Amino acid sequence: MGAIWAARDFCLFLLLLNSRQSVALPEIRADPCAEGSDGCHIDAICQTTQGSYKCTCKAGFKGDGKHCEDIDECDLEYNGGCVHECNNIPGNYRCTCYDGFNLAHDGHNCLDVDECKFNNGGCQHTCVNTMGSYECRCKEGFFLSDNQHTCIHRSVEGLNCMNKEHGCAHICKETPKGGVACECRPGFELARNQRGCILTCNHGNGGCQHTCEDTENGPICRCHVRYTLQPDMKSCVELDEATTESSDHNATSFAEVDKRVKRRLLMETCAVNNGGCDCTCKDTSTGVRCSCPVGFTLQPDGKTCKGQTSSHPKSFRQRSNGLNTNLSSNVGNSFLADIDECEVHNGGCEHFCRNTIGSFECNCRKGFKLQSDERSCQDIDECFFQRTCDHTCVNSPGGFQCLCNKGYTMYGLAHCGDINECSVNNGGCEQGCENTMGGFECFCRPGYKLHWNKKDCIEAEGLPPASPPSKPTLNCSKQHGGDRCFLTCQSQVHISSGTEDSYTVTCGMPLPCLADAQKNNSGLYCFGKYKTSQIYINLSALPYKTVTQEQLRLVFLVFGPGKANVPRIKTTATFKSGTAKCNLKRSQEKLKETLNSAHSDSRFLFTENVQFSYVSLRCTSSGQRPRSRHSRKTGEEDGSSITAEFELDVNLEEVTAESCDLNCVRRRSERRLRKTIRTLRKSINREQFHLHFAGADYELSKSLGQPAELPGHCAAGQVLVGRRCVSCSAGTHYNSDQGRCVLCPAGTYQDEEGQMSCEACPTPEGREVSKVVGARNMSECGGQCPPGQYSHDGFVPCLSCPLGTYQPEVGRTSCFPCGGNLVTKHSGAVTFQECETKVQCSPGHYYNTTTHRCIRCPTGTFQGEFGQNYCVACPGNTTTDFDGSTNIMQCKNRQCGGELGDFTGYIESPNYPGNYPANIECTWTINPPPKRRILIVVPEIFLPIEDECGDYLVMRKSSLSNSVTTYETCQTYERPIAFTSRSKRLWIQFRSNEGNSGKGFQVPYVTYDEDYTELIEDIVRDGRLYASENHQEILKDKKLMRALFDVLAHPQNFFNYTAQESKEMFPKSFIRFLRSKVLRFLRP
């Protein structure tokens, strides 16, 4: 842009200089042109004459100079010289080409685009370029699918559309009576024999370079008057000037018109008004000759210079000493020389600019999408979509990151699986280890008690009883005609977040079910090992169902000989919370006041006052719950459900020998618990259930009808940073009074994010409390034995681990033996790798201390380090393809993914977006409701490329190999494709062999009203949908595809999107593409 303006200013300077040299003014007179007091039209040139001035309309306009109007060059003879379309613009015109053509450098001719040069045209096998279009062809033994890009195996049996003898030139459809019916691709007409297809001018301009005319025998091509038809009867070449003059029966040719225009001011000289030239003027024997600076082109009138500085028409009008100069720039399709817009300010593109003949195109980096202005790029917020990450999704410019909650680890790039800590050195537990979801627990044999470090076991005899922590308490009262309940937690509170609107809150200490516990036939209780009898009960969650005695069991913990039995009841119940969504956020102050008044005001008497040993509340919104095969029914209300687990200790003080024995007390507890659950259910249904912990009150869910929250109102344990809610980091907790994250005070620690309080540091009696502030784990509390050392209580003074032992953790009371009579090089060893083994085991193996050999890690485990004596179990329900795995990414979920609904759904390869497992087979069946058809979009698919198809995805009518096939592939296909099912019902199969693996696929689908079949097929079969990179990105954009699918599945939802939203969502080129299709479909 700067170079263009510099050239223009230099040109003006020369013109002013010449005018001063050629005209000697004896005295200064008023110059109307310079002062702007002339009466010339805005589209006229003001010329100073002797004592006056003259108005002349600019090139491209006509009139007397006082009044000028635009000349429509496209109405002149020969379509303004354009071979396809001519578009008039003020003072000028521009030529444009049909789809499949690009504008030539002369700005008038149109040249064929070779679509096959880019990504093979999207064809699976062979791409053949044609004039104005292209076509895909298949190898021997295959035929082209209805989507016109992928190929399908031919069947050698039967007479249906899978057989090569069906006779259809393009598309074969099976009829209800078992016959076949032929159809043609868009732009073709079915021949009289009902088998062949006749090309029309609507497809690739009928194969003609210039003009196409439909006839009964097919298209006839003609050329512009300045061109002649080639022997191929399709392409055109420009005639030379002599041929042009003699070939048109002495008629005035377009070129001759240009010459006469140039000669009409034969007596003009450059000395007067610069010869009428916009810029440089040169006197010749035939008159003046005008030229333009770089970046501008001379127009057919021989005077005007026009150039392109942006993609939007602009006009600049300036005056200087009576000289009017008009410089215009527009899309440039009508100029004599192409200008590379990308050289100036990157064409206005935010990321990438790609120059084309007569125009340019903006593109964005991966992770961004082009805005509707087709210049700007916007970050794609992948976290906006469901299923992006299992737990926490953190968006970043151009990408995103998935994070897992504590106790979980990542697999498959986006999924979180529970870590089996017990698989690694027994979890560090001295005796027993039990894995739990999101954690693990160590336990001890009878006669021993768990140490404060929660891993070592010490003898229970002689130990002073520990003060029990405060128990969670449920209080309910009648207020304003209904039940209102508060659960108060004073200690051992833990919050874990799942998806955006799901979470789990636990309070108290649960009773673990040991690792090898066995359930009885009803699945209601389990029995632990070491003669520890544990009986779990399960209360019915239904509000009106009677809970029988067989469904209600007691839990007895036997801590050893001579110890009393401690009975405990455990129950699980599920509650619906109306239309409210899970939203653990701080209540308003008036709710806290209500709780305080309930404690002090006698009018609010507690109807329930129960102390539990452990409470777990898991809130899940309906949108987050896995849907059934047929998705959620229409009209089903969104809301949330709360799954509550309660553990209640039976009060042994109520046992009396005379009136009520243990069974009597048990039955009382059962009745009270059932009544409490009924009251709690009413409270939750009325959205009158609140949590009270860390000095504040919290709502579990928030109704969609409630007013919007105030800015900066974040979830529990979070603060507002910028415009985002960020969890308080480890070593801090959220202080509700101060409304911010504060460091854990001395003597406490917090090893998790987003918590409301800190845990007390372990401190032996008689010692000072730790002075460390902001401790992020127990080891930072200080005073504990470091790794490689131990002591009787885990605190200093400590002893080094003796030879042949090691200790990787802090605060331990013993060290682990190397085993197998192995020794260490020195005392104080920290890891097993310091044990002197007889061989060094490589990753994928572990050292067996009995045989002193390296053993391959079994299937379902991995080991990524050298010289270890264990293998790590794969997280969650994942496993490895083979033994000897070395990385957690080799742990894969073998479950076939997807959700199949009546209107929308998707299928997904196992472990997606991670690599799918070997030797897997998945099948899905899409069976839409009556009078609905299936539209499928394959954004991309990644399968290993092989000569023989090892892994493949196939979609056909049924499981029979010769049934009508809609789609099949066995290779990577990064270019998106959309197609309609060739059969009403669709059977889909994916198989992988033992040697391959790849990212796989996630394929969405939508069912639409069969009345729209013609329109949908016209859109998805048009090659223009895939010709533009920006159009391809639309098919990969989950947000845009969800909006399109929403309207296709339910057309009435179109009115949910405003016109402005549509413009902001889709590029203009895509809207133009769809508009033409819809208008043609709706045309009566």
Side-chain angles (χ1 to χ4, degrees), residues 351-393:
H351 287 180
F352 304 122
C353 178
R354 184 172 68 89
N355 185 56
T356 61
I357 302 300
S359 187
F360 65 100
E361 186 179 78
C362 297
N363 299 110
C364 300
R365 294 193 296 268
K366 186 176 181 181
F368 294 82
K369 67 177 180 179
L370 197 67
Q371 292 291 81
S372 58
D373 62 3
E374 300 188 341
R375 301 288 185 276
S376 307
C377 294
Q378 181 185 29
D379 171 56
I380 299 175
D381 186 1
E382 293 86 355
C383 299
F384 172 82
F385 312 108
Q386 293 183 9
R387 304 188 302 270
T388 299
C389 300
D390 279 358
H391 285 180
T392 304
C393 182

Side-chain angles (χ1 to χ4, degrees), residues 1018-1073:
D1018 185 25
I1019 293 173
V1020 300
R1021 293 175 182 174
D1022 196 321
R1024 290 179 295 171
L1025 181 62
Y1026 317 104
S1028 167
E1029 291 185 32
N1030 292 327
H1031 288 182
Q1032 295 175 39
E1033 291 303 316
I1034 291 175
L1035 298 180
K1036 292 185 178 183
D1037 191 317
K1038 293 182 179 179
K1039 184 176 182 180
L1040 298 185
M1041 290 309 301
R1042 187 171 69 176
L1044 284 176
F1045 278 16
D1046 182 34
V1047 175
L1048 287 175
H1050 309 284
Q1052 68 272 15
N1053 289 350
F1054 169 78
F1055 300 102
N1056 295 338
Y1057 300 91
T1058 64
Q1060 183 62 29
E1061 285 178 330
S1062 299
K1063 290 181 180 179
E1064 293 175 353
M1065 291 173 70
F1066 299 99
K1068 297 176 182 177
S1069 58
F1070 186 73
I1071 294 178
R1072 290 194 299 267
F1073 169 76

Side-chain angles (χ1 to χ4, degrees), residues 744-758:
C744 289
T748 64
Y749 72 97
Q750 182 52 260
D751 56 359
E752 295 188 51
E753 295 182 348
Q755 299 303 308
M756 306 296 297
S757 60
C758 298

Side-chain angles (χ1 to χ4, degrees), residues 77 98 107-108 119 125 143 187 307 315 339 356 552 564 588 597 837 928 949 967 982 997 1017:
E77 202 169 7
Y98 303 139
H108 292 80
N119 198 24
H125 287 178
F143 68 92
S315 180
I339 297 174
T356 61
L552 188 58
Q588 305 300 322
S597 63
T837 57
C949 289
Y967 175 85
R982 301 180 69 203
S997 187
E1017 292 185 348

Side-chain angles (χ1 to χ4, degrees), residues 826-848:
H826 53 79
S827 60
V830 175
T831 66
F832 176 81
Q833 292 163 315
E834 297 179 60
C835 299
E836 293 186 309
T837 57
K838 296 183 179 180
V839 290
Q840 177 79 347
C841 295
S842 61
H845 299 75
Y846 73 95
Y847 187 85
N848 187 308

Side-chain angles (χ1 to χ4, degrees), residues 832-1053:
F832 176 81
Q833 292 163 315
E834 297 179 60
C835 299
E836 293 186 309
T837 57
K838 296 183 179 180
V839 290
Q840 177 79 347
C841 295
S842 61
H845 299 75
Y846 73 95
Y847 187 85
N848 187 308
T849 56
T850 302
T851 63
H852 296 286
R853 293 182 179 181
C854 294
I855 309 298
R856 290 175 64 88
C857 289
T859 302
T861 64
F862 66 96
Q863 178 53 260
E865 298 181 8
F866 284 90
Q868 288 291 6
N869 62 335
Y870 62 88
C871 293
V872 183
C874 283
N877 58 347
T878 63
T879 187
T880 57
D881 291 334
F882 310 101
D883 59 358
S885 297
T886 60
N887 193 288
I888 192 173
M889 298 308 296
Q890 294 173 286
C891 297
K892 304 171 185 178
N893 190 330
R894 298 183 65 86
Q895 183 178 0
C896 303
E899 291 182 6
L900 305 182
D902 285 345
F903 299 101
T904 59
Y906 72 98
I907 63 170
E908 187 178 82
S909 56
N911 205 55
Y912 184 88
N915 288 350
Y916 55 79
N919 293 318
I920 198 73
E921 179 176 346
C922 297
T923 57
W924 303 268
T925 300
I926 304 175
N927 197 4
K931 296 184 178 182
R932 296 189 73 85
R933 307 290 293 183
I934 306 171
L935 170 66
I936 295 177
V937 176
V938 182
E940 56 188 6
I941 182 170
F942 297 90
L943 304 177
I945 300 176
E946 291 186 338
D947 293 336
E948 297 183 2
C949 289
D951 305 347
Y952 66 85
L953 175 68
V954 62
M955 304 180 186
R956 52 178 179 248
K957 183 177 180 180
S958 70
S959 58
L960 299 176
S961 59
N962 63 345
S963 63
V964 176
T965 302
T966 295
Y967 175 85
E968 67 178 13
T969 185
C970 59
Q971 65 184 44
T972 294
Y973 201 70
E974 296 188 55
R975 185 168 177 166
I977 188 73
F979 51 88
T980 57
S981 173
R982 301 180 69 203
S983 55
K984 189 178 186 308
R985 179 177 177 269
L986 206 56
W987 179 86
I988 305 173
Q989 183 185 54
F990 170 67
R991 295 189 68 177
S992 66
N993 64 15
E994 63 179 9
N996 295 331
S997 187
K999 180 179 178 181
F1001 54 86
Q1002 186 184 78
V1003 177
Y1005 73 88
V1006 62
T1007 65
Y1008 59 92
D1009 193 308
E1010 61 184 16
D1011 291 339
Y1012 294 95
T1013 299
E1014 181 182 347
L1015 172 63
I1016 301 300
E1017 292 185 348
D1018 185 25
I1019 293 173
V1020 300
R1021 293 175 182 174
D1022 196 321
R1024 290 179 295 171
L1025 181 62
Y1026 317 104
S1028 167
E1029 291 185 32
N1030 292 327
H1031 288 182
Q1032 295 175 39
E1033 291 303 316
I1034 291 175
L1035 298 180
K1036 292 185 178 183
D1037 191 317
K1038 293 182 179 179
K1039 184 176 182 180
L1040 298 185
M1041 290 309 301
R1042 187 171 69 176
L1044 284 176
F1045 278 16
D1046 182 34
V1047 175
L1048 287 175
H1050 309 284
Q1052 68 272 15
N1053 289 350

